[in-house]
Amino acid sequence: DVYKRQFDNIYDLYGTYKTDASSILPSDKRWNSAWAVGIGWTPSYYEFLSDNPVLTRLNLKASYGYTANLNGVSVSSTVATFAYSTNSYEDQRPLDLMGLYNKDLKPEQTKSIDAGINIGLFDRITLEASWYNRRTEQALLDVPIPSSTGYTTLKRNIGILENRGFEFGVNMKAVSYTHLRAHETGRNL
């Protein structure tokens, strides 16, 4: 479900929620949800700024969200899965365990916070700046195990990953006519 509300093109409010299930996981860990909320403020639509030839757009925005992820998890990661061996023994092909499984696996959970500003100048130049912070808990990682087990890794929910930083962008319209728009260029850091 998505909820979006805009007031006078100046204030934005949105929210989203979804839930899904994965048959890869045991039934008690199968259902997961994801949600996000965000706000925006565009003061350049206020009457005192709407006809400004220099500052043609000013927008501030922020969001917070939560997601669940199962990238890299297969059925053989959560239940015992066998395949016929390429070797044979007296005309018989034995079954081999495809890998060690972990019935306690669950999706890794990521919380994201983003905030940014978008400034339009002369209706030709756009400056963008954003700050983000993403924290993943219960990260799905392949953990080394003793090779005497016959395997070298076991997938586990372990660790915390954090990714945070700033992004900057500049875009410019070099030529802009009513029926012709040419040479738009931009750079991001």
Side-chain angles (χ1 to χ4, degrees):
D1 291 339
V2 176
Y3 172 81
K4 183 175 182 182
R5 190 78 179 144
Q6 193 173 52
F7 305 97
D8 296 330
N9 286 332
I10 297 173
Y11 305 101
D12 296 314
L13 175 66
Y14 77 88
T16 182
Y17 179 82
K18 87 169 194 163
T19 186
D20 58 13
S22 173
S23 59
I24 292 175
L25 297 174
S27 60
D28 61 327
K29 297 177 180 75
R30 186 162 291 166
W31 288 93
N32 297 287
S33 60
W35 56 267
V37 293
I39 58 171
W41 180 46
T42 310
S44 56
Y45 285 120
Y46 283 128
E47 191 174 319
F48 70 92
L49 281 176
S50 64
D51 293 327
N52 189 319
V54 176
L55 183 63
T56 52
R57 178 155 176 85
L58 178 60
N59 175 258
L60 292 97
K61 54 193 172 190
S63 65
Y64 179 74
Y66 175 88
T67 58
N69 178 19
L70 278 172
N71 280 344
V73 175
S74 63
V75 173
S76 62
S77 300
T78 59
V79 295
T81 308
F82 296 89
Y84 282 107
S85 174
T86 56
N87 301 321
S88 61
Y89 179 74
E90 293 187 7
D91 296 332
Q92 301 294 318
R93 287 180 50 198
L95 290 175
D96 287 339
L97 183 63
M98 290 180 66
L100 291 181
Y101 63 95
N102 182 349
K103 64 182 174 64
D104 295 323
L105 283 182
K106 57 186 175 184
E108 59 187 16
Q109 297 128 21
T110 301
K111 295 174 186 166
S112 299
I113 301 172
D114 295 275
I117 186 170
N118 184 310
I119 301 169
L121 301 172
F122 306 106
D123 206 21
R124 291 190 179 274
I125 300 170
T126 304
L127 307 173
E128 300 171 350
S130 297
W131 170 82
Y132 61 91
N133 185 5
R134 291 177 184 84
R135 181 180 172 93
T136 301
E137 296 177 353
Q138 299 295 321
L140 289 163
L141 299 172
D142 290 320
V143 178
I145 58 173
S147 58
S148 59
T149 62
Y151 303 93
T152 56
T153 61
L154 175 67
K155 191 165 292 292
R156 293 185 56 198
N157 290 101
I158 188 169
I160 295 173
L161 305 172
E162 205 157 6
N163 183 10
R164 66 176 102 178
F166 294 93
E167 289 182 353
F168 301 98
V170 177
N171 294 300
M172 184 179 82
K173 287 189 256 179
V175 177
S176 182
Y177 295 104
T178 306
H179 300 291
L180 173 69
R181 181 178 288 170
H183 195 65
E184 288 191 28
T185 185
R187 294 289 178 249
N188 287 329
L189 284 173

